[in-house]
Amino acid sequence: MSRTVDEPTGVYMDEVAEAALRRGEMLLEVGRPKEAEAQLRIALTADPGNGTLLALLARALLEQERYEPARDTGRDALAADPENVLALSVLGAALAGLKRYSDALDTVRRGLALAPEIAGLHRQEGAVLLAMDRPADALDSVQRARRLDPESSATAALHAGVLFELHRYREADDAVAEALRLNPENPEAHRLRGLLALRRGGGRSAVASHRTALRLDPTDVASREGLSLALKSRNPLYGLLLRFGMWLDGLPRGLRIGVLILPFVLTRILRPYEGQTWAEVLLVVVVALVLLSWTLEPLMNCVLLLTRERHLLTRPARRATYGFLAFTAVALACAITAMADGPPELLPLAFGLGLWAMVTGSIHNLRPPLQTVITVGAAAAAALGAMAIVAALLGTASANIVAGIILFTGIAATWVTGFSR
């Protein structure tokens, strides 16, 4: 069999391996990474240690979201060719997929040191910085990418996402429009258009944009969650609270904390006027708004679970909703039993379990480390709640102690969750 010199890799390959490489590259370009992987592995048989071939294989693995093997293959490519820019880019993306953002940023910047003229590397740096909650730094990277490649729809969409996080919504609208002008089927641009519509009140436009994004990229979790929000925002009350939450997120941290504790301050201020009708009405309204802000999300998730759109709820959101329903049911049963001449210890227990119901209903909105902590706390509260109910029904003294622990931990979890969402 004859052998030729392959131009991209600069190595001698037999005709079978060369044909496999060509097919692998073509399949990558048309978005068929699994088939590309098979072809690239055939090509690697001719030169298993070739850095460019390994980098292409790493890219095929990355596009299948197989982040660990993509990382390992990217490292192999760099071991063979330490200055391979493609390998550095793929390795950085794999590390970002594994949420190792600092390592990803270092890797991408190694690539930029070798090839500062590549717009895609600047865009990648911006995406990693955005994932690290550094939108101001990400903006610099994205602007450099846009200067280098002004016709990139992906860069324009990322620019819109960064501007959205910086609360520069009018500019984000312009960037989304530019991204869709460059590529009308950019799923990320449609998703961001839906988010901007949600901020303005949701409704049909938010639903339509998220449906388009999900049609273009059916596996995108963010688009699925956005469509779920958009559907729930058609409820006027939910839409109002959603806009309030977005407005609250845009405030400086000190002001945000002040707004969150304002209802509790008002309840203290109004306490001396409890006998007056206006004060009692205002107090009821404030308390109702606080409860509604905590319970409307899981309640709307319950409604969504009963519709044909139930698949839009992520697994964490479904678990949170089931936890909310379980805690709420037990809390209501305890309250009704206590008010019907049952053990009085069940009343504070009902309040504590009610707090844990609100906390559990919003677990899916928290960052992963805190999700774990609150989930463990909720499991412990459920176990203690069962013990407290048994102790109250048996009339033992420990019922009050356990109910107090659940109430105290419920208050603490409510505050931690409130300031972390």
Side-chain angles (χ1 to χ4, degrees):
M1 184 175 292
S2 63
R3 301 174 70 85
T4 62
V5 178
D6 178 68
E7 292 177 4
T9 62
V11 298
Y12 286 97
M13 304 181 69
D14 60 41
E15 291 178 357
V16 172
E18 183 181 1
L21 170 61
R22 303 301 182 202
R23 285 194 294 269
E25 290 176 318
M26 180 190 68
L27 289 164
L28 275 177
E29 292 307 313
V30 298
R32 294 162 65 181
K34 188 170 183 178
E35 296 166 73
E37 177 194 350
Q39 294 299 318
L40 290 167
R41 290 192 185 281
I42 293 171
L44 275 165
T45 59
D47 186 3
N50 183 273
T52 300
L53 284 175
L54 287 166
L56 288 169
L57 177 59
R59 177 185 163 192
L61 294 166
L62 176 69
E63 292 184 10
Q64 297 175 64
E65 297 184 0
R66 294 165 60 188
Y67 298 120
E68 289 189 2
R71 175 200 60 195
D72 296 340
T73 307
R75 285 173 174 168
D76 290 342
L78 288 172
D81 182 1
E83 295 190 352
N84 189 308
V85 175
L86 174 60
L88 287 165
S89 176
V90 172
L91 177 59
L95 290 167
L98 294 169
K99 303 191 185 305
R100 292 177 52 185
Y101 297 121
S102 294
D103 292 339
L105 185 60
D106 290 342
T107 303
V108 172
R109 285 178 171 170
R110 283 170 57 195
L112 280 169
L114 294 168
E117 75 285 356
I118 297 181
L121 287 173
H122 290 283
R123 182 175 69 241
Q124 191 175 358
E125 180 186 42
V128 174
L129 287 166
L130 185 60
M132 297 172 74
D133 292 324
R134 294 169 57 184
D137 295 330
L139 183 61
D140 293 335
S141 299
V142 175
Q143 287 174 334
R144 285 194 294 272
R146 292 202 73 178
R147 285 194 296 270
L148 288 165
D149 186 6
E151 297 301 307
S152 169
S153 176
T155 304
L158 179 60
H159 191 197
V162 171
L163 291 167
F164 184 90
E165 291 300 320
L166 290 170
H167 313 296
R168 293 163 58 175
Y169 302 115
R170 186 170 297 177
E171 294 171 79
D173 264 321
D174 293 340
V176 165
E178 177 66 7
L180 291 174
R181 182 190 71 78
L182 293 166
N183 179 9
E185 295 199 342
N186 184 320
E188 179 64 8
H190 284 286
R191 185 185 74 84
L192 286 164
R193 174 170 278 183
L195 281 180
L196 288 162
L198 274 176
R199 188 183 171 277
R200 290 190 292 266
R204 292 182 180 178
S205 60
V207 172
S209 293
H210 279 101
R211 283 198 190 281
T212 301
L214 201 57
R215 175 180 61 80
L216 293 169
D217 186 358
T219 65
D220 185 55
V221 174
S223 295
R224 185 178 292 109
E225 291 178 347
L227 179 55
S228 172
L229 277 177
L231 289 168
K232 289 183 286 188
S233 75
R234 294 186 299 187
N235 177 297
L237 191 55
Y238 186 90
L240 183 63
L241 284 174
L242 182 63
R243 292 197 297 279
F244 172 75
M246 289 183 170
W247 170 80
L248 192 61
D249 288 341
L251 294 177
R253 182 173 175 80
L255 282 177
R256 194 160 66 243
I257 293 173
V259 171
L260 288 172
I261 67 174
L262 183 60
F264 300 96
V265 174
L266 282 176
T267 58
R268 301 292 297 178
I269 293 173
L270 294 174
R271 187 160 293 176
Y273 305 97
E274 284 186 49
Q276 300 184 32
T277 304
W278 69 269
E280 290 181 352
V281 170
L282 185 56
L283 193 61
V284 168
V285 169
V286 169
V287 172
L289 286 174
V290 172
L291 289 174
L292 196 59
S293 69
W294 278 93
T295 58
L296 191 59
E297 165 78 9
L299 286 173
M300 290 303 299
N301 284 344
C302 291
V303 173
L304 202 57
L305 279 172
L306 298 174
T307 70
R308 64 181 183 178
E309 308 282 5
R310 66 179 68 88
H311 65 281
L312 295 173
L313 286 177
T314 62
R315 185 174 297 175
R318 287 197 298 270
R319 285 199 298 262
T321 305
Y322 295 143
F324 167 80
L325 289 172
F327 272 110
T328 300
V330 177
L332 287 173
C334 288
I336 292 169
T337 303
M339 289 186 289
D341 295 327
E345 296 87 355
L346 290 178
L347 195 56
L349 178 61
F351 280 110
L353 292 173
L355 290 171
W356 274 106
M358 294 189 297
V359 170
T360 304
S362 61
I363 281 180
H364 60 293
N365 293 324
L366 304 177
R367 295 187 181 278
L370 190 56
Q371 275 189 28
T372 303
V373 173
I374 297 297
T375 300
V376 171
L384 287 172
M387 292 171 54
I389 291 170
V390 172
L393 294 174
L394 294 176
T396 60
S398 62
N400 272 325
I401 297 172
V402 179
I405 291 172
I406 292 173
L407 183 59
F408 175 78
T409 56
I411 293 170
T414 301
W415 279 96
V416 169
T417 304
F419 288 128
S420 301
R421 280 192 297 177

